Amino acid sequence: MLNTQHLITFKTLVETGSFTQTARKLGLTQPAVSQHIQKLEKGLGEPLLIRHGRSTELTEAGEVLFQHVQDLGSCYERFVKQWESHVAHKSATTSMGARQSA
């Protein structure tokens, strides 16, 4: 099973390109960022990054995962917007019903 926090760490690392910047941005230690990536790689059975000193490059597997993580983020954002709309509509309907019965 993939850990959501590990996926967030991976996405942030790809976006920043730096383990140090990722750690700062997420409020983690640099070793924690490394551990998240190692656990993802172990869980998926493939390396996701090629490390070049302080910089990284995505492997083919890393590119596939990154695309899906982005898709998951977009899906989540659509869900939140739809849910907020649902709650607002439900609240408005309940308020109108309460006014009519008064």
Side-chain angles (χ1 to χ4, degrees):
M1 181 69 100
L2 295 175
N3 179 304
T4 305
Q5 184 59 50
H6 296 169
L7 294 174
I8 290 168
T9 301
F10 173 74
K11 180 179 184 284
T12 305
L13 177 59
V14 172
E15 291 170 347
T16 66
S18 162
F19 281 81
T20 302
Q21 287 178 16
T22 297
R24 271 192 219 122
K25 190 169 184 176
L26 297 178
L28 300 169
T29 63
Q30 193 170 340
V33 171
S34 294
Q35 190 175 56
H36 287 190
I37 301 306
Q38 289 170 356
K39 287 182 178 181
L40 264 178
E41 290 176 328
K42 184 177 180 184
L44 293 170
E46 287 198 50
L48 301 171
L49 302 164
I50 300 168
R51 291 147 178 92
H52 302 287
R54 292 181 178 248
S55 67
T56 60
E57 177 183 344
L58 288 173
T59 64
E60 187 176 333
E63 289 178 16
V64 170
L65 178 61
F66 185 64
Q67 181 60 55
H68 283 283
V69 168
Q70 288 181 308
D71 292 346
L72 285 169
S74 297
C75 181
Y76 178 75
E77 288 173 14
R78 285 192 311 272
F79 160 74
V80 169
K81 286 179 185 175
Q82 187 174 5
W83 186 256
E84 289 170 347
S85 176
H86 166 76
V87 170
H89 176 73
K90 185 176 176 181
S91 178
T93 303
T94 303
S95 294
M96 289 174 62
R99 279 191 233 135
Q100 290 176 353
S101 63

